[in-house]
Amino acid sequence: MLNLTIVVPCYNEQEVLPSTAKQLREKLIALQKQDLIASTSKVVFVDDGSRDSTWDIIDNFFKNDPACFGGIKLAKNRGHQNALLCGLLTMKDLSDAIVSIDADLQDDINAIDEMIRKHLTGNEIVFGVRSERTTDSLFKRMTAQGYYKFLKLLGVDIVYDHADFRLMGKKALDALDGYTEVNLFLRGMMPLLGFRTSTVTYKREARTAGESKYPLSKMIKLAFEGITSF
């Protein structure tokens, strides 16, 4: 069976982490009961230099249930994409596949079941794609649509309405490890790896606690890196 790791980048997420850990632990148990993943599968949180109690909470998860939870602590804040990459590359040799998901769990963890099934049928990367943007403001919907269209015009092969909720198999992870990008835009790099891919659609929920870690300034910075990197 598949040895799965769920990698969760975190920055100042003390409000959501208890609920997130509970839900992901229950999801792993459910997947094990379906014989989709091995009992050695786990959740690994990556603390991106948080200033609150995020790391202490992650540390307690590990102390209370080391078979289910692990943690990686960055020396300082390096940004979401670097934290995510760190988790992927740290765990790639210990996993058959890795699912990446944000700590707020606005992405539907129930989509992971179908991701695994599609991976087992030969898809090395499975993208989680939003079915709608009803939880976004009008401004965010319009700018996102315009941004994707602009990247397409530049020749960037990007999956529309996909962020960083995805499953990557071991071959894709090994290929990603060969890149030496500095200004990371992982959602643009995935199609370049050249493997067979598929998508799973889901409804994105509103954040239940805490604040978004992608305010306008960070979204603009990520968008700029996407344009200049590709």
Side-chain angles (χ1 to χ4, degrees), residues 5-136:
T5 300
I6 301 177
V7 168
V8 188
C10 308
Y11 179 65
N12 294 343
E13 295 287 7
Q14 63 181 15
E15 291 92 351
V16 302
L17 278 180
S19 173
T20 296
K22 180 177 182 292
Q23 292 181 64
L24 290 178
R25 184 177 183 277
E26 290 173 351
K27 172 52 62 177
L28 287 184
I29 292 172
L31 291 170
Q32 289 167 18
K33 288 181 178 178
Q34 297 178 65
D35 292 329
L36 287 175
I37 64 172
S39 59
T40 51
S41 301
K42 63 170 49 187
V43 180
V44 174
F45 296 97
V46 184
D47 178 23
D48 184 23
S50 297
R51 299 175 182 176
D52 61 2
S53 299
T54 291
W55 178 250
D56 293 332
I57 295 171
I58 294 170
D59 190 39
N60 284 328
F61 291 157
F62 172 73
K63 288 176 179 176
N64 293 328
D65 193 353
C68 181
F69 297 112
I72 300 168
K73 181 175 175 61
L74 302 189
K76 63 179 181 179
N77 178 244
R78 295 295 309 277
H80 177 273
Q81 297 288 280
N82 282 292
L84 175 53
L85 182 66
C86 173
L88 295 175
L89 298 187
T90 299
M91 298 306 299
K92 75 178 184 66
D93 292 332
L94 303 173
S95 315
D96 296 320
I98 295 179
V99 168
S100 57
I101 190 168
D102 288 342
D104 55 22
L105 292 194
Q106 287 183 260
D107 300 313
D108 184 6
I109 61 173
N110 292 315
I112 296 174
D113 304 48
E114 187 63 19
M115 287 181 172
I116 293 171
R117 292 189 179 96
K118 291 199 171 188
H119 174 62
L120 293 175
T121 60
N123 296 284
E124 192 62 21
I125 304 174
V126 184
F127 300 103
V129 177
R130 298 171 61 169
S131 59
E132 56 187 33
R133 280 187 170 267
T134 54
T135 57
D136 288 349

Side-chain angles (χ1 to χ4, degrees), residues 99-100 107-108 111-112 115 118 125-131 148 159-168 187 198-204:
V99 168
S100 57
D107 300 313
D108 184 6
I112 296 174
M115 287 181 172
K118 291 199 171 188
I125 304 174
V126 184
F127 300 103
V129 177
R130 298 171 61 169
S131 59
Y148 281 110
V159 179
Y160 185 73
D161 272 351
H162 165 70
D164 288 301
F165 180 36
R166 70 179 72 90
L167 179 148
M168 298 183 69
R187 66 192 70 172
S198 185
T199 61
V200 172
T201 57
Y202 67 96
K203 182 180 178 181
R204 185 172 169 87

Side-chain angles (χ1 to χ4, degrees), residues 147-164:
Y147 180 61
Y148 281 110
K149 290 178 181 178
F150 184 58
L151 285 178
K152 286 285 188 181
L153 287 173
L154 293 177
V156 181
D157 185 14
I158 192 168
V159 179
Y160 185 73
D161 272 351
H162 165 70
D164 288 301

Side-chain angles (χ1 to χ4, degrees), residues 176-191:
L176 179 64
D177 195 18
Y179 277 74
T180 57
E181 296 287 336
V182 176
N183 299 314
L184 290 174
F185 187 62
L186 290 173
R187 66 192 70 172
M189 293 168 64
M190 294 299 117

